Amino acid sequence: MLTSSLLALLLIGASPQDQIDTHLGAAQRHAGVQPAPLCDDETFLRRVTLDLAGRIPTRAELTAFRRQPNRTAKIDQLLAGDEFPRFWSQVWTSALVGYATERFEASREPLRIWLEEQLRANTPYDKIARELIAAEGESAFDGPVNFLVRHREQPAVKVSRIFLGVRLDCARCHDHPFDRWTREDFDRFTRFFDGVEYREVSGRNIRVLEAPREASEEDRPRFLSGAKPRTSRWRDELALFVTTCKPFARNYANRVWYQLLGRGVVEPPDDFSANEPSSPELMKHLTELARETKFDTRAMIRAICNSQAYQRQSGRGEESFNSHSLFASFTPKPLTIEQQIHSLRIAFDLSPTALQIQENIRNAVEESLDADFSETWAYRDNVQDEMSRLVRELPRLEGDFEDWYERILSRSPTMRERKLCEGRPQSQVIFALTHSNEFRFNH
Amino acid sequence: MLHWFNPLAWLAAFRFDECAELAADKMAIEDEPALAGDLAGALLLVAQDATRTRILAPAASGRTLSRRLTRLIEPTAQPGERMMLTKRIPLLLLLTALIGAGAVQVNLVAQDEPLEAIGGGAGEITVKAAQDFAAKVAGTDELHKQFKAALQTEAGALALRDRVGQMEAEAREEAYEDAIPELVNSIFVGEGDKLKLREDKQAFRSQYLSATEKVNQDLAAMRKTLNEVAGKMKLESDLDKIVHRFVTNESAPIILYVRELRPRLRPGMRVLEEILEGVFARRQDGKYAIRADARPAAEQRAKRFTEFQSILKRFRRDVRELGAEISQHDDFHKRVHAAFTDPLFTARLGAELIEDGGASRIRAERLIGNLEGALREGAEGLVVHPNEREEVGEFIEEFERGKAAAARLRAPLKQFAERIADDDELHKAWREMLQSDLALIQIGGQLEYATADAGDAIREFLSQIINEQPDGSLKVEPQEADEEELIEGISDIFRASRAARRRGRELEELLIKVDDTQLRDAMQSAAGKVVFGDYLNRHLASTIPNGLDQWIDDHFERTTAGFRIRGEAEEAIRDMLKDVDAIKEELENADF
Amino acid sequence: MTTTDRRRFLTGSLSGAATLMLLRNALANGSLAESRKAKRCLVLWMNGGPSQLETFDPKTGSNGGPTGAIQTKIPGVKFSANLPKLAERADRLAVLRNITSPEGEHERAQYYLHTGFRLVPAFPRPALGSVISHESPASDIPSYVLLGRQTFGPAYCGPDHAAFAIANADDARRLMSRTQRRRSDLEFLQQLNQPFDEQNAFPAVKRRRSMIDRIARLVETPFRRTLDVERESASTRARYGEGEFGQRCLIARRLLERDVPFVEVQLDGWDTHVNNFDAVSQLARPLDSAFAALLDDLQSSGLLEDTLIVWTGEFGRTPLINAQSGRDHFPRVTPVVLAGGALPTGQVVGKTSSSGAQIRGDSHSIPDLCATLFQLLGVDREKEFRTSFDSPTKPVEEGARLIPAIAPNRSAG
C-alpha cells in the first residue's frame, strides 16, 4: 500500500479526475471494497444528460452518442450548453430556498433567474455566495435577496449550513456535548445579521437593506474562526469571512460531489462537525481543486464527471456501507420535479411554453408536502402525489416498444423485456416504462 | 403603536382584506400624494422616521418598525430574536413606501451631474467599481499606491462601502434636519417680505387643499366621536384620567389617526396594487414594474390582449347586433338589452376570452354562439331561455356591479398605468392594456366595498380599552396585565404629539409670510400638517444622497490628471487602509 | 362542493350496519387498560378562528352581540342560540374555556394548534395526526385522513404519515377508482421492472417500489367506498346536513367506523372580521347539525366511548365588536370543546370574565391541550423521536401539563 506522501508524489501532474480515482482507489483497496465496473455508454449518456441538462437525452442524441461515444467531449458539450445554467440554477435554488418560498414571502423564481444568469456568465461560486449573504435590494426584482428573505427568521442557521456545512441549530438552544460550537458562538455569529432590515415596499416585494451598525467590543459579531468585523458593514465582512475560509471550499466541493454522486464525501452534506469524510484524501483533493479552479463550477463538475467514480455502474444497493461511502458504485437519485417534467417533454416530443413549464412545476410542487429538498436524495412523494401521477393520461407514441424503450429509458429492451412486452397494449407498456423506477431515477 | 392585544394590530399583521372594501368609494381620483405611515405625519414625527436606521436615532424609536412589529406579534420575543413571520408584513411598513411621484416637483437644489460617478449607493460598490475608481486616482506616492492597491481587493471595496455608507447615513440625517424649510422653499418664493406660491405650483395648491379637506372631514368625524366618549367617561382611577386626557387632547388623537386609522380609511392605490399583485410590484422608487417571475404570464396576457384588440371592432359589432334584437318587454330584459349594447360588455366578454385560453376570432365566434344559445325567439324579440335565466341574471348583475365600480376606477387605473416603469415593450403593452375598457371592467368586477368613517374607526379603536358599564357610562378596562403597556402606549403617543407640535411650530413660523391666506391657513391647520407630512415623506424618500460622490469630494481633489488625495484627508485614508489591512488579516485567520 | 356533486349523493343507499356490529365486537376484545384510552380521534377544525361568543361561550352586555344564549343540558351553562342541538347534548361535551395562546396570525396559529409547537421553520414539527398515524399499527387504509385543504407536514414522522388530504371526496374516489382501473398496468409495471429494482435495491428505490405496492393495496380496500356518502340513507345525510361540512362529517363517521385512527374535518369561513353575527349563524347551522348527528350516531354504535372528538380552530375572536359588526383575532381565549372518549363530559372547564376579555383562574396553554389529548389517546408523551437532522425530540413541548379536569395525572403506562 502506498503511503499518502508517496501517493502525493505520484499524483503530481495527474489530471484532477485521475487524482479522484487514485484517492478513492486507495481507500477502496484499504477497505477491501471491489469497485463496480464502469457503466455502459447509454447509461452514461442518460446519467450525465440528466445531471447537466436536467433531462433525458433525445433519440438523436442517443444515436449520435452510440456512434461516437466520447464521454469527455459529451461532458464538455453539455457544460457549454444552454440547458446547463438553467438546470443548475434550479439545483442551487432548491438548495438555497427550497420550493415553498411563498409561505415565507420570498420569491423563488427571481432568485433562480439570477442564478441562471450567474451560471451562464460562469460567475465563481464564492462570488455568488458573497452576493447572497450580503444582498440588498427588492425581492420581486433582485433575485439574491430572496435567500435572506426566505431565511430571515434564522439567517445564521441557514448560512452556516449551506455555505460552511456547520449546523449551528443545535448550539442555538444549548451547548451540544458532541459539537465544538457553543451557544456563544451561535449568538455572536447571529449578530452579523443585526443590521439587516426587511421592509415591505408593496405586496410581495420586500426590500432588504443594511443599516450600518456600531457596537461595543463584546457585542460585536464574531465569526466561527474568531474573526471580527472591522467596519460598520458587518454582513459584507461576514460574506468575505465565509467565502475565504477553508470550510467554505470544502463544503462547496462536497455539495457539488453530493449533487452528482448522490452522496457526499461527508454525509449528510451540511454537517461537517459531526461526520468524518469517508475518504479524507479525496475531500482534501476536492477542496484544493475548488480553490485552484477559483470556484469555477463548470471546472469542478468537469473533473467529477470525468472520474471513474462518477461513471461506475449503479446497482449494488445491498452492498456494505463502505462500498457506498467509498463510491464503489453509483447511487441512484430520484429525478427532481424539473427533471421529471423536462424528461417527459423529451420522451413524448412535447413542446410546452415557458409559462406552461413554470405552471407545471408550480403544480407539482404544490402536491409535495415538504419544502426543503436540499439535504437528501430520499424519495419523498406520498400516496396521493404518486397516485395522481399514475393516473395521468400519457400521450400516444409512434412506433413499437423498441422505439419506446429508446425514447423513455434511453436504451434497447432486453430479451426478457421483449418477451414480456410482446402483445401488450401500447398504453400498458408506455405506462410501465414511464412509471418505472428506471425512469424516475437517475442511475 | 398600541398593544399586542389590540385587534388592529392583529389585523395589521394579517391580510388586510377590508382595506380594499373600505377603499373603493374613497379612492383618490385625483393624483393624491403618498399616504403617510407610522413614521409619517412626517412633519409630525420627523424624529421617528423609520427610514432612518437605529444607529441614527436609537433613542427616538428604540427599535425599528420591524422589531416593534415583531413584538406585537410575540410580546416575549427579544429584539432580534426573530423577525416577523406574518403572511404579509404589516401595513404600517407598506406605508413607509411611496405610492408615487410626480405630484410635486421637488427640485430643491439643481443637482450637477456628478463628474465621476461610479455607482449609486454604498451597497453597489463592487470590486469592479472600486477598481474603476482606482484607475482614475492620479497620485503616484506611497499613499496613493497603497490606496489604489487596496481598492483592487474585496477588503478594499468593502472598506469603501463602509465609508460611503456612513457618509450617506449622515447625509440622510442632514436631509431630515433641513427637510421642512427645503420643502417650503420649493413651494414658495420670496418676494419682498412676502412668500408667494411658485408659478408652477398651482396644481399642487388645489391637490393640497382637497387632500386637506378630506383629512379635515376625518378629523371632524373623529372629534365628534371623541367628544361623545369623553362625555360618558367615568373618571375613577388614574388610568381613567389618563385615557380621558388622551381622548380630550387636541392633537394626540391625530397621531393615532395618522398611524392607525387613516391607512385603513384611505388605502388609495393599494387596492389596485393588491388586485394586480400577481404581475406588478411597486418598487422603492414608486414605479410599478413587472415581477421578475411574472414575465411569462405577463407576456401571454399582453399577447392575448393584442389578439383581442385585433378582433375587437367586429366582435363589438356582433355582440351589439345580437343585443339589439333582445326584447325589452320587462325590466329584466331591459337590463339584458342594455348590457349587450354597452361597449363595456364587449370588454367583459373579452376578459372572459383572455382568461380562458385566448381571444382568437374562432373562440370569439364560439362565445357569441354560446350567448345566442341562451336566448330564444320571443314575441317582441329575443328573450332569455328560462333554463338560463338564473345564470344570465347573475352574469348581468355582476356586470352591472363591475360597471358601477369601473366608473370610479378609470382615474386610479390611469394613474397606475402612468406609474408603470418605462422599462420595455412589455411594460408599455401593459400600460396600454390597463387603460382599456377591458381592464376597467375586469378589475371593477373584483372591487367590493363597505363604508366606514373616521368616527367609526376611532370608536372601534377605543372599544379595545374602554367598556360600557351597566349604567351606560364608559370606563377604561384593559386586560389586567396590560395596564402598564397601555400607559406606555399612550405616553408614546403623547410624546409623538409633543414632538409633532414642536415641528409644527417650525412650519408655522416659516409660513407666516405666505400671502395666499387660504393656503396658509390650510397648511397651518392640523389636517394641513398631516397632508404636509405626506409631501414631506415623499420628499425625503426622493432625496437619496450620493454618498460616494460626497466621499470622493471630501477626500480627493479633481485634477486634470485624475483624483488626488487632499492633504487634510490623508489621515482618513490611512485610517481606511488600516481597516483594509485589518480585514485582510482577519481573512487570513478565517479558517477554523 | 357544487350542487351537482351534492345531488349525486341523494340517490342510493346501503347500510353499513353489519360491518358495524362486527367492528364493535372486535373492539370489545381490547384489554381493560387499553379501553380507557380513546382509539380514534376526530378533529372538527373551524378554519379562520371561530367566535367563542357565538358558539360555546356566549356573553351578555355590550360585547354580547345580538345572537343571544340558550340554556343547555348542563345546569347553569348556556350556549349561543346558534347551537340548539348541541345545547341539548351538552351533557356529552366538555367545554374548555381556559385555553390561551399567544399566536394571533392565522398560519402561525394554525401550525401551533396542529402541532403543539410554535413555528420554527428550521425545526418542522409533525401534526398531531401524523404522530397518531406513526403510533398506530400499519394499515392499508391511511391512518390520518383530512377532509379539507389546510395540511401540515408530517415532519420527522415521514411521508407515510402525511395527512391523506381530501378536499373533495368525489375527486378522491375518482382518483382511487381510476388507479384501480390501472390494476393490471400496475402489476405489469412491477413485474417488468423487478430486475432493475432488485439490482438497485437502494432505500429510495425500495421505498418507491413499496409505495406502488401500497397504492395497489389501498385501492382494493373499502377506503374508497367509505368516502361515498351515497351509501347512507337520505335521512342520515339530511341529519348531517346537505352542505359540504355535513357530508364531510358523515364521511368522517364512516372512516371512524373503519377504525381510521385520526380524522380531521375542516369548516372554512370563520374569519369574521365583517358581519360576524350573520356569518357565524350561517356557519353554526351545519356545525350544529353535523356535530349533533356525530354524537348521536357514534353513541348508538358504541364508538363514542373510545373516540375522542375535538372541536377548535386557530384562535377565538375579540369580545369587542368592531365597526363592521365583526370580531377580530383573539388568541387569548381559544375555544376548545371535547367529546367522547372516556372523558368527564357534561362540564365546563375554566371561566372567562363577564366581558369575555380574559380567563379567570387557571388557564392552559396549547401544549397543555396537546399533552392532554395525547394522554387521552394513549400516546406516550415521553417517547423519543428522531428528527431528520437526527435531533432527539418528544411529541409534546417540555413542561406541558395535563388539564386536571379532563385528564387527571395518572402515571403514564
Side-chain angles (χ1 to χ4, degrees):
Chain A
M1 183 161 310
L2 297 163
T3 66
S4 58
S5 58
L6 184 54
L7 197 68
L9 215 66
L10 284 173
L11 286 174
I12 293 171
S15 68
Q17 58 264 30
D18 291 347
Q19 296 191 44
I20 290 172
D21 292 319
T22 312
H23 289 304
L24 271 181
Q28 286 162 355
R29 275 194 302 281
H30 183 71
V33 168
Q34 178 66 34
L38 297 189
C39 64
D40 59 41
D41 287 332
E42 289 163 346
T43 307
F44 173 79
L45 176 69
R46 184 177 187 276
R47 183 183 295 172
V48 77
T49 309
L50 275 166
D51 272 337
L52 302 189
R55 56 164 178 83
I56 57 171
T58 62
R59 284 186 88 191
E61 285 167 338
L62 183 63
T63 314
F65 195 69
R66 277 174 173 159
R67 208 176 307 129
Q68 228 173 21
N70 183 337
R71 298 190 181 190
T72 301
K74 188 75 206 174
I75 293 167
D76 287 341
Q77 182 207 334
L78 285 166
L79 283 172
D82 206 40
E83 289 164 297
F84 170 76
R86 190 208 66 209
F87 177 60
W88 274 70
S89 69
Q90 286 159 353
V91 169
W92 285 145
T93 306
S94 296
L96 287 164
V97 296
Y99 286 98
T101 50
E102 296 296 320
R103 216 195 303 163
F104 300 88
E105 294 176 272
S107 307
R108 180 185 153 95
E109 192 61 7
L111 174 60
R112 193 202 61 72
I113 293 169
W114 178 77
L115 281 166
E116 184 173 343
E117 286 162 7
Q118 304 311 307
L119 284 162
R120 187 150 282 142
N122 217 18
T123 308
Y125 183 79
D126 61 335
K127 185 156 186 287
I128 292 178
R130 270 199 296 279
E131 293 205 20
L132 288 167
I133 297 170
E136 292 182 56
E138 299 180 27
S139 65
F141 308 102
D142 306 314
V145 298
N146 285 292
F147 171 66
L148 277 184
V149 173
R150 163 63 181 81
H151 298 289
R152 65 178 178 272
E153 204 155 322
Q154 288 289 354
V157 169
K158 185 65 180 182
V159 164
S160 59
R161 272 188 179 221
I162 190 97
F163 293 126
L164 298 172
V166 169
R167 291 184 179 181
L168 283 176
D169 321 28
C170 312
R172 182 179 51 194
C173 316
H174 50 84
D175 294 351
H176 203 282
F178 312 117
D179 208 332
R180 58 188 283 202
W181 307 115
T182 63
R183 189 174 173 141
E184 163 85 2
D185 290 323
F186 173 74
D187 288 344
R188 301 283 291 258
F189 189 90
T190 301
R191 233 162 270 167
F192 276 106
F193 297 92
D194 276 6
V196 200
E197 292 185 6
Y198 304 89
R199 295 201 197 126
E200 185 169 25
V201 176
S202 57
R204 292 202 295 123
N205 184 25
I206 295 174
R207 181 165 172 233
V208 175
L209 58 153
E210 183 73 8
R213 301 300 317 270
E214 279 305 334
S216 64
E217 188 55 30
E218 62 273 20
D219 283 339
R220 287 171 81 78
R222 190 181 68 205
F223 188 54
L224 297 173
S225 66
K228 288 180 194 145
R230 174 80 182 191
T231 69
S232 64
R233 298 191 66 87
W234 294 352
R235 198 151 51 99
D236 285 7
E237 291 200 49
L238 173 67
L240 269 188
F241 293 151
V242 166
T243 54
T244 316
C245 72
K246 203 162 160 195
F248 175 78
R250 202 171 53 182
N251 173 68
Y252 154 76
N254 191 47
R255 272 186 188 273
V256 178
W257 180 272
Y258 162 85
Q259 180 62 34
L260 294 167
L261 274 297
R263 179 181 178 90
V265 183
V266 170
E267 178 78 9
D270 63 349
D271 196 359
F272 273 81
S273 323
N275 301 286
E276 289 297 320
S278 57
S279 161
E281 292 78 17
L282 174 61
M283 194 65 258
K284 190 159 166 273
H285 166 63
L286 291 173
T287 307
E288 278 161 12
L289 185 60
R291 289 185 140 170
E292 278 160 21
T293 58
K294 296 194 160 47
F295 298 99
D296 175 341
T297 307
R298 283 185 179 81
M300 193 78 191
I301 292 174
R302 184 175 292 117
I304 296 174
C305 288
N306 274 303
S307 73
Q308 295 190 355
Y310 178 76
Q311 300 185 9
R312 293 202 186 284
Q313 276 180 13
S314 71
R316 312 229 311 189
E318 308 287 10
E319 293 290 326
S320 71
F321 173 76
N322 267 348
S323 82
H324 292 155
S325 62
L326 293 175
F327 308 97
S329 65
F330 188 82
T331 305
K333 307 174 282 185
L335 300 194
T336 65
I337 290 159
E338 294 90 347
Q339 283 173 328
Q340 283 181 50
I341 287 169
H342 286 287
S343 295
L344 285 173
R345 181 172 66 87
I346 297 293
F348 292 97
D349 280 338
L350 309 170
S351 45
T353 65
L355 183 62
Q356 280 166 330
I357 291 174
Q358 202 181 321
E359 276 169 5
N360 261 327
I361 292 173
R362 192 174 302 143
N363 290 340
V365 168
E366 268 173 20
E367 285 168 22
S368 57
L369 288 156
D370 211 312
D372 193 350
F373 289 77
S374 59
E375 312 298 352
T376 158
W377 282 112
Y379 164 78
R380 297 171 171 239
D381 283 353
N382 64 27
V383 176
Q384 279 162 297
D385 296 340
E386 192 58 69
M387 233 183 330
S388 49
R389 282 186 232 274
L390 289 175
V391 301
R392 209 169 285 157
E393 287 300 327
L394 296 167
R396 292 189 65 80
L397 286 176
E398 302 278 301
D400 58 14
F401 57 77
E402 298 274 346
D403 301 309
W404 308 333
Y405 261 86
E406 288 197 352
R407 273 172 174 279
I408 300 168
L409 299 180
S410 315
R411 65 172 174 90
S412 305
T414 62
M415 281 312 289
R416 172 182 176 273
E417 287 162 340
R418 283 204 176 91
K419 220 180 279 166
L420 275 171
C421 294
E422 202 59 65
R424 298 263 175 183
Q426 177 187 130
S427 68
Q428 191 166 56
V429 175
I430 289 178
F431 176 89
L433 298 185
T434 315
H435 294 292
S436 65
N437 280 334
E438 190 176 350
F439 180 74
R440 287 285 297 276
F441 282 79
N442 187 4
H443 48 83
Chain B
M1 282 307 310
L2 278 213
H3 307 92
W4 69 270
F5 60 79
N6 168 6
L8 280 184
W10 296 122
L11 264 179
F14 109 111
R15 211 184 147 79
F16 214 101
D17 288 331
E18 63 266 54
C19 232
E21 295 166 6
L22 289 169
D25 65 328
K26 295 193 174 172
M27 188 178 299
I29 298 298
E30 69 281 71
D31 193 358
E32 210 178 347
L35 291 168
D38 176 45
L39 55 141
L43 149 66
L44 316 169
L45 302 174
V46 167
Q48 291 200 339
D49 196 312
T51 61
R52 309 168 81 200
T53 59
R54 264 157 296 149
I55 200 167
L56 292 173
S61 66
R63 45 187 190 268
T64 62
L65 266 179
S66 59
R67 295 279 153 82
R68 269 193 290 189
L69 286 158
T70 308
R71 277 178 48 100
L72 287 176
I73 290 154
E74 189 180 49
T76 53
Q78 293 303 307
E81 194 174 301
R82 46 174 279 271
M83 301 305 263
M84 62 247 152
L85 193 99
T86 54
K87 194 157 162 41
R88 317 189 95 209
I89 294 182
L91 203 62
L92 294 177
L93 291 186
L94 192 148
L95 291 170
T96 62
L98 290 183
I99 283 177
V104 250
Q105 296 300 324
V106 190
N107 290 318
L108 298 164
V109 213
Q111 287 215 334
D112 296 321
E113 264 315 285
L115 282 174
E116 301 280 350
I118 60 168
E124 292 163 37
I125 300 168
T126 59
V127 175
K128 174 81 176 55
Q131 284 169 348
D132 289 350
F133 174 56
K136 289 168 190 151
V137 172
T140 50
D141 61 9
E142 201 47 39
L143 185 61
H144 279 89
K145 268 193 211 150
Q146 281 175 12
F147 180 75
K148 288 173 77 160
L151 288 194
Q152 306 294 323
T153 64
E154 282 283 356
L158 197 153
L160 185 58
R161 272 203 295 280
D162 170 58
R163 298 308 197 264
V164 170
Q166 292 195 9
M167 190 120 233
E168 284 178 357
E170 278 163 32
R172 220 171 284 133
E173 192 164 28
E174 271 168 37
Y176 281 93
E177 285 291 313
D178 304 337
I180 293 177
E182 280 189 358
L183 191 54
V184 169
N185 280 335
S186 74
I187 301 168
F188 301 102
V189 60
E191 260 188 48
D193 60 346
K194 290 282 172 213
L195 278 179
K196 285 201 181 305
L197 188 67
R198 287 180 186 266
E199 265 171 32
D200 56 350
K201 288 289 180 274
Q202 281 305 327
F204 157 82
R205 184 181 189 277
S206 61
Q207 279 162 10
Y208 181 89
L209 289 175
S210 102
T212 303
E213 181 47 36
K214 276 187 196 149
V215 174
N216 240 331
Q217 286 167 12
D218 283 353
L219 293 183
M222 188 171 79
R223 181 47 63 199
K224 190 162 162 262
T225 304
L226 287 173
N227 287 341
E228 201 183 294
V229 169
K232 284 200 221 162
M233 277 187 75
K234 213 184 231 175
L235 304 181
E236 286 164 351
S237 65
D238 279 1
L239 193 59
D240 290 335
K241 289 171 194 160
I242 292 172
V243 173
H244 187 260
R245 271 185 53 218
F246 167 74
V247 168
T248 52
N249 189 281
E250 185 77 23
S251 52
I254 299 178
I255 302 285
L256 190 64
Y257 168 75
V258 172
R259 287 186 181 181
E260 302 269 357
L261 308 180
R262 187 170 177 237
R264 304 186 61 202
L265 291 165
R266 300 196 187 283
M269 214 57 152
R270 271 165 301 145
V271 182
L272 283 181
E273 283 182 13
E274 274 199 22
I275 290 175
L276 294 166
E277 201 186 89
V279 177
F280 284 98
R282 175 161 38 76
R283 294 191 308 215
Q284 181 67 17
D285 64 4
K287 296 271 190 206
Y288 296 108
I290 293 171
R291 294 172 186 278
D293 53 352
R295 285 195 81 91
E299 271 159 11
Q300 192 191 59
R301 279 298 178 87
K303 193 168 145 262
R304 287 181 179 175
F305 177 70
T306 318
E307 214 174 58
F308 178 65
Q309 291 301 97
S310 70
I311 61 163
L312 175 62
K313 242 185 175 162
R314 204 173 113 188
F315 184 55
R316 180 172 290 163
R317 210 175 42 226
D318 291 349
V319 174
R320 198 185 297 144
E321 211 172 80
L322 183 62
E325 283 190 54
I326 291 174
S327 163
Q328 298 185 58
H329 65 281
D330 62 10
D331 281 352
F332 175 70
H333 283 88
K334 273 182 197 143
R335 282 168 56 207
V336 177
H337 178 270
F340 268 68
T341 46
D342 191 323
L344 276 178
F345 192 69
T346 323
R348 174 70 189 80
L349 297 177
E352 197 82 0
L353 285 173
I354 286 178
E355 285 287 298
D356 184 31
S360 66
R361 184 174 296 279
I362 290 195
R363 295 177 49 86
E365 270 164 24
R366 208 178 297 149
L367 180 70
I368 291 181
N370 288 346
L371 289 174
E372 262 186 299
L375 304 168
R376 68 174 181 188
E377 299 306 323
E380 292 162 55
L382 290 170
V383 294
V384 176
H385 198 287
N387 294 345
E388 307 288 346
R389 184 165 169 134
E390 197 178 333
E391 220 172 286
V392 172
E394 269 172 31
F395 189 72
I396 297 292
E397 222 167 83
E398 187 219 291
F399 168 73
E400 288 166 345
R401 269 202 312 274
K403 192 183 166 190
R408 293 193 312 274
L409 251 183
R410 204 175 281 277
L413 256 180
K414 180 161 182 285
Q415 204 178 325
F416 189 101
E418 280 165 0
R419 287 178 191 170
I420 288 177
D422 200 6
D423 278 345
D424 53 15
E425 287 305 314
L426 185 58
H427 283 82
K428 276 182 211 145
W430 271 82
R431 187 175 310 131
E432 187 196 334
M433 186 157 65
L434 283 180
Q435 295 185 73
S436 68
D437 280 357
L438 196 132
L440 206 60
I441 191 72
Q442 201 178 10
I443 293 172
Q446 291 176 47
L447 288 179
E448 286 176 30
Y449 64 97
T451 53
D453 74 1
D456 297 333
I458 188 79
R459 195 189 308 277
E460 172 192 343
F461 191 87
L462 289 175
S463 70
Q464 315 312 313
I465 50 170
I466 300 179
N467 249 338
E468 194 168 10
Q469 302 302 301
D471 64 0
S473 69
L474 298 175
K475 195 163 163 32
V476 180
E477 273 186 355
Q479 277 74 359
E480 45 198 328
D482 300 309
E483 211 163 280
E484 269 308 306
E485 249 184 294
L486 177 57
I487 294 177
E488 199 32 62
I490 291 180
S491 304
D492 183 39
I493 288 184
F494 269 113
R495 264 195 298 273
S497 120
R498 279 191 285 268
R501 267 213 307 277
R502 286 194 292 273
R503 289 301 221 163
R505 270 199 290 276
E506 186 187 342
L507 177 65
E508 281 169 29
E509 282 164 19
L510 285 169
L511 295 173
I512 287 175
K513 286 189 270 177
V514 170
D515 67 344
D516 181 336
T517 49
Q518 191 193 358
L519 186 57
R520 186 185 65 205
D521 291 350
M523 289 178 89
Q524 290 183 338
S525 71
K529 283 175 191 160
V530 170
V531 176
F532 191 79
D534 299 340
Y535 284 97
L536 202 52
N537 253 356
R538 184 184 304 166
H539 166 61
L540 286 170
S542 67
T543 341
I544 299 161
N546 186 333
L548 183 60
D549 282 348
Q550 276 190 38
W551 185 83
I552 292 175
D553 276 345
D554 279 7
H555 295 81
F556 289 81
E557 51 192 350
R558 291 161 201 239
T559 67
T560 44
F563 292 100
R564 211 176 261 287
I565 299 170
R566 290 180 193 276
E568 67 270 25
E570 282 184 7
E571 200 47 49
I573 297 293
R574 281 209 183 86
D575 213 46
M576 178 174 157
L577 290 175
K578 243 185 263 168
D579 275 0
V580 175
D581 286 341
I583 294 169
K584 282 186 188 154
E585 206 172 301
E586 294 282 9
L587 285 179
E588 300 280 301
N589 302 325
D591 274 343
F592 58 91
Chain C
M1 224 187 91
T2 65
T3 40
T4 47
D5 282 345
R6 261 182 269 131
R7 271 177 215 133
R8 239 183 289 129
F9 298 143
L10 296 176
T11 49
S13 105
L14 240 173
S15 163
T19 357
L20 245 166
M21 288 306 293
L22 283 172
L23 271 168
R24 214 185 317 161
N25 292 342
L27 291 171
N29 294 331
S31 75
L32 192 67
E34 276 176 351
S35 72
R36 252 189 247 128
K37 307 290 185 194
K39 291 195 172 69
R40 303 163 215 86
C41 184
L42 168 62
V43 172
L44 303 176
W45 180 263
M46 305 297 109
N47 216 24
S51 168
Q52 68 279 28
L53 298 113
E54 278 68 46
T55 54
F56 294 100
D57 192 6
K59 297 288 173 194
T60 52
S62 62
N63 293 344
T67 306
I70 48 173
Q71 180 57 48
T72 69
K73 219 161 176 194
I74 313 173
V77 172
K78 288 186 172 174
F79 286 172
S80 155
N82 283 329
L83 302 175
K85 291 179 186 155
L86 287 172
E88 268 173 46
R89 293 162 178 80
D91 55 328
R92 284 180 254 165
L93 303 175
V95 179
L96 275 51
R97 289 175 177 168
N98 60 350
I99 304 294
T100 186
S101 154
E103 294 284 12
E105 194 275 328
H106 288 283
E107 262 189 57
R108 290 188 63 92
Q110 285 160 358
Y111 183 90
Y112 197 30
L113 268 286
H114 273 89
T115 64
F117 288 85
R118 319 260 313 250
L119 177 64
V120 177
F123 198 150
R125 299 284 183 172
L128 240 63
S130 293
V131 177
I132 300 294
S133 167
H134 188 270
E135 296 301 288
S136 302
S139 154
D140 288 344
I141 294 182
S143 295
Y144 173 16
V145 179
L146 173 92
L147 296 146
R149 281 206 166 74
Q150 185 77 267
T151 65
F152 293 87
Y156 52 75
C157 288
D160 284 347
H161 302 288
F164 192 101
I166 301 173
N168 180 318
D170 290 343
D171 287 349
R173 278 172 44 221
R174 224 167 291 137
L175 180 61
M176 280 186 275
S177 64
R178 281 174 66 195
T179 313
Q180 200 193 16
R181 258 177 266 139
R182 293 244 178 218
R183 194 172 7 187
S184 64
D185 291 349
L186 285 170
E187 221 168 85
F188 180 62
L189 164 72
Q190 297 293 60
Q191 185 194 3
L192 186 66
N193 294 294
Q194 197 168 6
F196 177 91
D197 292 355
E198 272 169 12
Q199 252 215 318
N200 293 271
F202 287 84
V205 176
K206 281 199 273 189
R207 205 182 156 258
R208 184 165 180 276
R209 188 171 178 90
S210 71
M211 172 72 83
I212 305 278
D213 286 339
R214 210 173 142 204
I215 289 171
R217 288 200 307 273
L218 169 68
V219 294
E220 300 300 329
T221 65
F223 184 58
R224 177 162 51 100
R225 285 198 302 282
T226 314
L227 302 181
D228 184 3
V229 286
E230 285 181 36
R231 291 167 185 272
E232 296 285 332
S233 71
S235 66
T236 303
R237 292 201 306 273
R239 262 192 311 121
Y240 277 78
E242 298 288 352
E244 187 179 55
F245 181 71
Q247 301 302 301
R248 282 178 174 176
C249 284
L250 184 48
I251 293 172
R253 196 208 77 198
R254 295 170 57 82
L255 290 166
L256 295 170
E257 286 165 2
R258 288 279 171 200
D259 265 355
V260 173
F262 199 100
V263 182
E264 175 175 337
V265 179
Q266 296 178 347
L267 174 56
D268 286 335
W270 288 91
D271 197 19
T272 51
H273 292 282
V274 181
N275 284 336
N276 172 71
F277 305 101
D278 295 344
V280 175
S281 88
Q282 296 276 338
L283 289 162
R285 229 165 285 151
L287 169 67
D288 193 42
S289 303
F291 199 168
L294 277 168
L295 288 171
D296 293 350
D297 287 1
L298 291 173
Q299 178 151 52
S300 65
S301 67
L303 291 183
L304 191 60
E305 236 173 80
D306 44 21
T307 302
L308 173 63
I309 303 181
V310 184
W311 175 92
T312 189
E314 60 257 45
F315 34 60
R317 311 218 57 103
T318 41
L320 296 142
I321 300 160
N322 70 25
Q324 302 189 69
S325 301
R327 294 190 191 272
D328 305 313
H329 305 180
F330 198 66
R332 169 167 290 194
V333 177
T334 298
V336 178
V337 173
L338 304 178
L343 280 176
T345 52
Q347 63 163 338
V348 172
V349 180
K351 183 174 177 337
T352 51
S353 63
S354 63
S355 67
Q358 49 212 297
I359 293 169
R360 295 269 185 236
D362 201 17
S363 67
H364 281 277
S365 67
I366 302 305
D368 290 353
L369 173 68
C370 290
T372 307
L373 297 180
F374 277 134
Q375 168 79 12
L376 294 171
L377 289 162
V379 172
D380 180 5
R381 304 195 303 283
E382 294 300 313
K383 175 162 180 165
E384 201 169 277
F385 286 82
R386 288 259 151 196
T387 66
S388 59
F389 45 94
D390 214 32
S391 171
T393 185
K394 288 174 184 162
V396 188
E397 197 172 275
E398 209 75 45
R401 59 203 177 96
L402 297 177
I403 302 171
I406 298 297
N409 200 350
R410 288 183 301 252
S411 60

